[in-house]
Amino acid sequence: PLLNDSMGLALTGILGDLQTLTFKITANKSLFLEFQGRMHSFGDLEGRLTLLGGVQLPEKSGVLDNLQVRASLAFPFHEPLAGFTLEADTVSGQYTASGMEPQLFSTSMHVRQGKLDVPDLVIRSKGGVLRGRLAYSLTGTRALNATLGGESLMAQWGKGSRVKLQDIKVELH
């Protein structure tokens, strides 16, 4: 709901060579996004991003709680995808859907030279531990390489569509 959302934005140094940009967004009093960064003559953007809180997923697919994302990013405006870098040292939270046990997830994540890399995904639940990694090309020919293995994974999308996988070993290329 729009009445529960807020946004604050500050931009300084507009006439100088170095600008600072800060914004804070609160969504539904439960999800908080903050960015603090700087630009060099409006040619690039670099800074630190923090996302905290929780969110209801669309179509009753569950809830993400205790979200924590902490990342640095650099974004050159002249070559946005190829030059974009993101170093997320913390990506963690809890996924819960109706009638399912909570699953805790954690990883780090990097985007460099048009490639997304998730090197150390861990999902924990009462059913066991699932570990994996993923690499995806965001530019040029789209290519996905992923491995996933462990005891148990459950997910839901929409009201009634669920999947439960046990004794998993998956490799995608």
Side-chain angles (χ1 to χ4, degrees), residues 8 13 23 48 64 66-69 79 95 101-102 132 140 149 155 169:
F23 66 81
R48 190 84 182 142
L64 293 177
N66 304 317
L67 285 173
Q68 292 187 42
V69 178
E79 54 178 336
Y95 168 71
E101 62 187 54
K169 183 173 182 180

Side-chain angles (χ1 to χ4, degrees), residues 26-58:
T26 301
N28 202 28
K29 298 182 182 178
S30 64
L31 190 63
F32 306 94
L33 174 67
E34 181 177 354
F35 177 79
Q36 295 181 336
R38 60 185 181 193
M39 295 181 283
H40 302 93
S41 300
F42 292 100
D44 62 358
L45 177 65
E46 60 184 43
R48 190 84 182 142
L49 180 75
T50 303
L51 176 71
L52 301 170
V55 63
Q56 173 75 44
L57 297 173

Side-chain angles (χ1 to χ4, degrees), residues 46-92:
E46 60 184 43
R48 190 84 182 142
L49 180 75
T50 303
L51 176 71
L52 301 170
V55 63
Q56 173 75 44
L57 297 173
E59 299 182 21
K60 299 187 179 185
S61 295
V63 177
L64 293 177
D65 277 320
N66 304 317
L67 285 173
Q68 292 187 42
V69 178
R70 298 184 199 302
S72 59
L73 65 88
F75 184 80
F77 295 138
H78 64 282
E79 54 178 336
L81 272 182
F84 174 72
T85 61
L86 178 100
E87 301 290 332
D89 49 31
T90 303
V91 178
S92 64

